[in-house]
Amino acid sequence: MRSFSPPISLAGSQLRETRHVCAFFNNDEDEYRILLPFIKDGLESGDKAVHVLNPEQRLDHLQRLTGAGIDPAVAEQRGQLELRTNTEVYLPNGRFDQDRMLEVFEHLASGNAKGGFPLSRICCRMDWAVEDRSHVDDVIEFESRVNDVWLRHDDAVICTYHLGRFGGDAVIDIMRTHPMVIIGGILQQNPFFVPPDEFLREFRHRRTGRSNSAAAT
């Protein structure tokens, strides 16, 4: 449950009560330049680190952690660092289930995660979603719904999107589902955020319209 822990430094600013962030990057170098200080600070503060990666990203990720002065083997051994692949987390059996994912993140949240850590700092690489248009739509809908989970917890959740992989319409909707955004390397309150009830009503209407149009052709 929420305890309103101290602010967390990230990307030239601070995360306070609102901690669900979409972060847009052009490449891996930009992403790690922003995330590594945040990750290191969290481990040194005693927070749990959960990193959801592309399957082929693990070795490079471990090397970057080590280069930042982090011993990932020690952190994993004591249960403070948890590395998972995005296919394992989001697409077991090849499908994305929004309701199941809400339960997964509730389980990872502070107060529920193993080890008694004060809070979790969760970083999720979202490249997998572009493999299927329905995945993109489901992820956008899920990103709005999951705000209800993070309102109940102090965890910092960073969803990273590489701009070259997502279309403009998807980027706009992704921004509208996150109360905080990193763009141009700077964290800021997101002026485009739309509360879940309002966004989901609009988005589901648009999604139904696309499906009906496709069925008619």
Side-chain angles (χ1 to χ4, degrees), residues 70-103:
I70 298 166
D71 189 331
V74 170
E76 283 189 287
Q77 186 175 29
R78 63 176 176 240
Q80 191 180 9
L81 172 64
E82 187 173 331
L83 301 181
R84 298 190 182 186
T85 65
N86 45 29
T87 48
E88 167 197 358
V89 171
Y90 290 105
L91 296 172
N93 304 316
R95 64 182 296 268
F96 179 75
D97 184 322
Q98 295 185 43
D99 294 329
R100 185 193 68 83
M101 282 306 309
L102 291 173
E103 294 178 3

Side-chain angles (χ1 to χ4, degrees), residues 112-182:
N112 297 330
K114 295 179 180 178
F117 299 100
L119 60 86
S120 299
R121 300 194 186 197
I122 302 172
C123 299
C124 300
R125 182 76 167 262
M126 303 301 294
D127 293 353
W128 62 270
V130 298
E131 296 175 5
D132 188 299
R133 173 70 213 195
S134 67
H135 288 165
V136 175
D137 285 345
D138 282 342
V139 164
I140 290 169
E141 193 168 310
F142 167 76
E143 290 279 34
S144 185
R145 294 178 66 193
V146 80
N147 282 297
D148 291 337
V149 173
W150 301 128
L151 282 174
R152 299 194 297 271
H153 300 279
D154 291 324
D155 308 287
V157 186
I158 320 298
C159 307
T160 69
Y161 294 85
H162 282 211
L163 287 166
R165 306 205 63 185
F166 290 84
D169 290 346
V171 168
I172 290 170
D173 278 331
I174 290 163
M175 288 186 67
R176 297 175 74 215
T177 62
H178 293 75
M180 303 296 291
V181 61
I182 296 173

Side-chain angles (χ1 to χ4, degrees), residues 22-41:
C22 60
F24 295 104
F25 301 109
N26 290 311
N27 51 54
D28 288 352
E29 298 305 322
D30 288 346
E31 179 174 353
Y32 280 102
R33 177 174 55 82
I34 296 300
L35 292 187
L36 283 173
F38 165 79
I39 292 169
K40 186 175 183 181
D41 175 68

